Each structure stands twice: as structure tokens, then as C-alpha cells.
Amino acid sequence: MGPGIPLAAPGALDRDTQALILGAFVAFIVPVLFLCVLSGPARDRVNDFYTAGRTLRPLRGALVLSGVYLSSATVLGTTGSVAVFGYDGLLIALCTLLSLGVLLLLAVPLRERAGYTLGDTFALRTPGRAVRIAVAVVTLCTCVPYLVVQLSGAGVTTAALLGLSGPGIEKTAVVMIGALVVCTTAFGGMRGTVVIQVIKTVVLLCVALAVSAVLLHRFHWSTDSLITAAEQGSGRPADYLRPGLRFAGSGDPEGTLDFVGLMITIVLGVACLPHVALQLGTAPDAATARRTVRHTLTIVAVFCLTTALMGFAASALIGAPAILAADPGGNGALVMLAGELAGGSATDAGGALLVVLVASGVFLTTLAVVAGVTLAAAGTIAHDLYTHVLRRGRTTEGREVAAARLASAGVGVLSIALAVGAQGWNVLFLTTLSLAVAASSLLPALVYSLFWKRYTRTGLLWTLYGGLACAVGLQLSGPVFSGNPLALFPDWHLDWFPLQTVVLVSVPAAFLLGRLGSVGLLGGIGSRRRPRPGLGPGADERAEADAY
């Protein structure tokens, strides 16, 4: 999700509508968050806090997993991509479904080896503190940038809903929303997160179906008329339904490679985000986890179809040039469309209700994503670093849950501080960076750990650290970081890597490093820890393995 999310074109909504939206936020969002807190575990049990007791049946689990998948990038970004880039936007929506296909392939073995964090999954094959530290580093490098982007967008959204502007208002909104979500995560745990994800999915489906019904009625239920009008509104009718608009200014072949890389990043990265992969651990068994992913495919497919319709309608009714003028990332297309369908400045009660529904869905989406990612980051700190690295497994469930709550606060404070400091900057590339790290480090490590019996501890460490270094290093050396007017630091010139997407290089490199490390062609990362006196080599690793 981009940092700017205008809810309508300037001046489209009057003060009464803005006040109604604010009232809906207070009357709907805040009680939902309190409900999440009340749904938290009654006792400080690790299983309840991390996995909601592993009791989610397929339908409820699918609603939760759909909520995890339908992030702000999908809700706002994909709609804007279809509106502005046409055919390329449709492919981006398709990639969301394909990423669920990747998760479906991993569902059974991943659930069979599921613990409380990804560190537990890898430690079953290669126990040891070094493995848990590496997994924690990769998890935090994936989660924190993702949180910064989400909180930055939430601050701009809140300011827009209040009819206010200015960096001070946006920073205050970031702090308030971040603190609210951190409290919800710390006290609600996974049970609270499950509640907010289910409500979010239901609300988003209602939003998508309501907006789709209104816009199809506007075009007399003719999709041909809708697509024809979208071509005219795009400003590039000859190219709108042809591939290549997304990176049209990058040149050839760089533009083609960038778009292929973007699709691979979405397909492989989203499926391996820590808070997505860990959601399978809430199912009672592997068969249920697989059925959960199948049901999720249906729900997400319906939403992606409505997203395509809403993107076409945004191009037809608002126009791609107007969407880009309001937000260069196109993320305001959905809410601008809602304002247009509601009647603009002449919004009546029914139109205001539609805008309120869209605004509530956008708010709830952002809050749910922040809660889920914060819980994944806090879990790796408390379970991997505190319990298994610092305490070496010698702690109680109550202390670990307390550590997880403190970690939630710590991750939240860090993310809030970074989001406040980055307010006004173009931090769009952080979302791609998070997905690239997940695709380059976690995916190869999971594939090797789950399916290759010769995978070793050295290979795992080379995969995790090597994939992370490659993804981050190439991203910081590309045009999205410097040397470009739209880059984070446009005046710097570190852009020796020509592509905006890095997975075409980083993913094969991570697989190669894991292979070479496992067959002994690469040395171990770091020095081997000396065993405790009297226990012999590998005693700590055996003790950790015995815990499972």
C-alpha cells in the first residue's frame, strides 16, 4: 500500500460526509478492536497466544487466511493497477491467486512441521541457536519494513478522513493507530487476530459486492460497455488491454524483466510471508490446513474478480490521469470510485453509507494487517530469541507469553518511530523489499527443509543469510532506492543494478547457496559453539530436538 490514500478527489466529499465517516470509524472499528482484546486467551498459554489453540476448522480458517491475504496492497493497489495499467493490473490480481497455489503445495508438509514460529519448523531438521537467530533476523527484516508502509498509509488515510492535512496530523494519526493496534495484539494474541481477520474478510466482501453491484447497474449490467469505457478513460485506449504499461518507461528489455520479476515476487513472496505461513498452524491437522487453503482460493478469487470490475470502473468514471494526479501509485482509485458512485459533492444518505462502508473496510484492512504482522514479529522475538536462544528452553509458558507481549510493544514502538520518521517519503519500495526477502530467503529454505533430505545446517544458514543479503543489497543498489525521481533518495546515485525487482537474481542465488552449503562446497557461517562441559558435542541441539 502506498503512503498516499486519498479517499476522494479533492473537494468531492463535504464536511457532513467526512463527519459521518469519522463517526462510523469510532462506532465500528474501535468496538471491533475491543472485541479482539476480549477474545484473547483467558490464560497465559503459549498454544493459545500463538495458534489460537489450533482449533480453526476449514471455513473459519479460510475467512482468516483470506483476511491475511487481502492486504491493503491487494485492496487498494490492485484496484489502482487495473484502473491505470489495464492488462498488467489483471495479471497482478492473478498473481495473488497463484501465490495461494504455492501455499497449497506447502500446506500439508508445513502444517505437519508447524510449531509456534518458522524457527520451530526449521529447528526440527537442524536444531541449534544459530538457526533460530538466522530465522529471527530474516523474519524481522521482512516484518518491520512491511509495518512501516502500513502505518505510513494509515496515517495519511486518517488525516484524509478527518478532512485535515499536514505532516503533524499524519504523524499523530500514525502514533494513535499504532498504539491501538499494539495493545490489541499484545492482549488479544492469535485469538484476537482471528476475530479481526474474520470481521475484516466479511466487511471487505460486502464492500466489494456492494460497489460492484452499483457500478454494474451504472453500466446496465454490461461488462463490454464497462471495459470499453475503461479503455477510453485510461487515456491510452490502444495499449490498455495489452501487456507492458506497468513499466512502460523502463525501456526494453528492462521493463519486461521488471514486470516478470514483480509477478514472481508476488507469487513467491506473499505465500512465504511469516504471518501468512504461520496461519496454517491454527488448523488442527494437515488435512484441515489443505482444505482451508482450498476454501481461501474461492474467497480470494471472488474478491479479485470484483477488484478487476472496480478497477475498470475507476478508469471509466474517474480516468487514469485523474487517479495518477491524486496519487502517483494509483492507490486512491477504490475510494475515489466510491465517492463518484455516491454522487460526489451531492452525496445523499445512501451514497454516504457506501463511502462509510468503503472507508471502514480500508481502515479495518490496515489494522488487521498491522496486527497480524506484529504478532509474527513478536513471536520470533519471544519464542526463538528469548526462550530458545537466551533462556535455552528453561522458562515457563507465562513468562514466554509476557515476553511476547513486551515484544509486541517493542516492535510496535520501533515501527511507529520509523513510520513517523519516514512520513512524507516515498516508502513504496519497502513492500517490494519485504516480499523479495521472503521469496529469496524463506521460500528456498522451506522448500529445501520440507523436501530435500540432504539439507544441512550450513546450507540453511547460507540460504537464509545469503538470500537476505542478496535481496537487500540489490534492492538498495537499484533505481527504486536512488538515482530516480521517484526513488527514496533521488539525489543519490547508487543505482548500478538496472532492475526495480530483484528476485530474478536473488531467488536463484539463494537456492544455489543452499545447495552448495549442504554439499560442503561452502564453509559454515560463524564459529561452532563449544559444548557444555560433560555433555559432549551437539548436546544443546539434542536437547532442543527432544523438546519436540
Side-chain angles (χ1 to χ4, degrees), residues 323-339:
I323 294 172
L324 291 174
D327 176 15
N331 293 300
L334 173 59
V335 284
M336 293 174 70
L337 174 64

Side-chain angles (χ1 to χ4, degrees), residues 53-393:
R54 304 192 192 276
T55 58
L56 297 190
R57 306 309 301 178
L59 181 56
R60 190 182 182 197
L63 290 174
V64 175
L65 187 57
S66 298
V68 172
Y69 255 78
L70 299 177
S71 65
S72 300
T74 303
V75 176
L76 300 176
T78 306
T79 303
S81 295
V82 174
V84 176
F85 304 118
Y87 184 88
D88 289 355
L90 294 176
L91 289 181
I92 291 175
L94 178 61
C95 286
T96 303
L97 288 177
L98 294 179
S99 67
L100 275 170
V102 174
L103 191 63
L104 183 62
L105 295 176
L106 299 176
V108 171
L110 192 57
R111 175 58 188 89
E112 289 175 344
R113 296 163 178 81
Y116 300 131
T117 66
L118 288 176
D120 286 344
T121 301
F122 293 122
L124 286 176
R125 283 285 305 273
T126 54
R129 292 193 294 171
V131 170
R132 290 194 179 270
I133 292 173
V135 175
V137 169
V138 172
T139 299
L140 292 175
C141 289
T142 303
C143 292
V144 172
Y146 208 75
L147 286 173
V148 171
V149 177
Q150 298 296 323
L151 288 173
S152 297
V156 177
T157 303
T158 302
L161 289 177
L162 296 176
L164 303 174
S165 61
I169 298 296
E170 294 172 0
K171 292 178 180 179
T172 301
V174 167
V175 173
M176 293 177 61
I177 293 174
L180 188 61
V181 175
V182 166
C183 291
T184 302
T185 306
F187 292 103
M190 180 59 78
R191 290 188 181 274
T193 304
V194 164
V195 171
I196 194 173
Q197 296 289 5
V198 170
I199 297 175
K200 162 194 167 179
T201 302
V202 173
V203 171
L204 280 182
L205 287 177
C206 291
V207 169
L209 294 175
V211 173
S212 298
V214 172
L215 67 90
L216 285 175
H217 179 72
R218 176 77 67 92
F219 286 92
H220 308 289
W221 302 93
S222 173
T223 55
D224 290 339
S225 299
L226 173 61
I227 294 175
T228 300
E231 289 179 305
Q232 299 302 317
S234 68
R236 295 170 287 188
D239 300 324
Y240 186 67
L241 294 181
R242 295 179 181 177
L245 282 181
R246 178 64 177 82
F247 292 99
S250 301
D252 189 40
E254 287 82 3
T256 300
L257 291 176
D258 271 325
F259 188 67
V260 172
L262 176 62
M263 291 190 292
I264 295 176
T265 300
I266 296 172
V267 172
L268 302 183
V270 174
C272 294
L273 286 172
H275 67 290
V276 174
L278 292 175
Q279 196 61 53
L280 296 177
T282 60
D285 52 57
T288 302
R290 187 174 182 85
R291 289 197 298 271
T292 296
V293 178
R294 287 176 176 173
H295 293 336
T296 304
L297 272 167
T298 302
I299 296 174
V300 175
V302 171
F303 187 84
C304 288
L305 179 60
T306 59
T307 296
L309 293 175
M310 292 186 293
F312 285 139
S315 178
L317 299 178
I318 301 171
I323 294 172
L324 291 174
D327 176 15
N331 293 300
L334 173 59
V335 284
M336 293 174 70
L337 174 64
E340 175 67 25
L341 294 177
S345 59
T347 302
D348 55 13
L353 179 61
L354 181 64
V355 176
V356 166
L357 188 62
V358 172
S360 297
V362 171
F363 261 118
L364 198 55
T365 297
T366 302
L367 298 178
V369 170
V370 172
V373 178
T374 301
L375 182 61
T380 197
I381 293 174
H383 188 69
D384 293 324
L385 297 182
Y386 172 75
T387 297
H388 287 280
V389 175
L390 183 62
R391 301 291 300 176
R392 297 184 180 179

Side-chain angles (χ1 to χ4, degrees), residues 419-497:
V420 168
Q423 205 68 23
W425 292 13
N426 185 7
V427 295
L428 288 173
F429 87 100
L430 291 179
T431 299
T432 305
L433 176 63
S434 294
L435 296 178
V437 170
S440 303
S441 293
L442 297 178
L443 174 72
L446 285 172
V447 170
Y448 277 146
S449 294
L450 299 177
F451 302 108
W452 189 30
K453 294 182 179 180
R454 295 179 58 193
Y455 198 43
T456 66
R457 171 183 176 274
T458 299
L460 175 60
L461 294 178
W462 272 105
T463 303
L464 292 174
Y465 285 127
L468 173 64
C470 189
V472 174
L474 291 179
Q475 196 78 67
L476 296 183
S477 303
V480 296
F481 184 74
S482 65
N484 188 293
L486 298 178
L488 180 64
F489 297 105
D491 296 329
W492 296 9
H493 295 282
L494 306 175
D495 53 327
W496 60 266
F497 185 71

